[in-house]
Structure formats: structure tokens, C-alpha cells
Amino acid sequence: MNAMKLVAVALIVAGALGLAYGRFSYTKETQQAQIGPLELTVSDQQTINIPVWAGAAAIAAGLLLLVIPKSA
């Protein structure tokens, strides 16, 4: 399998996951203060929404990469 097909499959899978889940969350730790040996950190939950058009565009781009023949 060449690199172009791998990229196409990755785009299709990423687009399908984006359409299925619609968002993903991660935890971000930030250091708020450090006073001597004491350290204050805050954990923030960040959520990123994935637009429907982005998932559909990724699937379409992946399909185009699979369908269009490689030139030369």
C-alpha cells in the first residue's frame, strides 16, 4: 500500500469518527502558582467540537484520493 492510499484511508477514518462523535475532550493542566516547594496546578477540561462539514470534507477528500488515478 503506497503513502497516498494510507493518507486516503486515514482521512476517511478521521472523517467518519468526526461525524460519529462530533467532539472530543482532553484535560489540560496549568501551573497557577509556585511558592517555595508548594505548587498550585489547575486541571481544565477542554472540549473541541468538530463541525459536520469538516468530517464530510475529510471523507470526500479521502475518497477522491482513492478514486483519482495516480499520474505518471
Side-chain angles (χ1 to χ4, degrees):
M1 200 179 245
N2 63 14
M4 191 67 74
K5 285 186 180 180
L6 286 175
V7 170
V9 170
L11 279 171
I12 293 170
V13 169
L17 288 173
L19 288 176
Y21 292 108
R23 73 182 92 197
F24 67 93
S25 299
Y26 65 95
T27 303
K28 178 181 174 183
E29 274 195 18
T30 56
Q31 181 179 349
Q32 294 295 324
Q34 185 172 4
I35 303 170
L38 298 176
E39 196 174 291
L40 175 66
T41 58
V42 176
S43 295
D44 265 342
Q45 180 98 15
Q46 301 286 327
T47 301
I48 297 178
N49 294 322
I50 302 170
V52 173
W53 63 265
I59 292 172
L63 289 174
L64 281 175
L65 286 175
L66 283 178
V67 172
I68 295 175
K70 184 178 175 182
S71 59

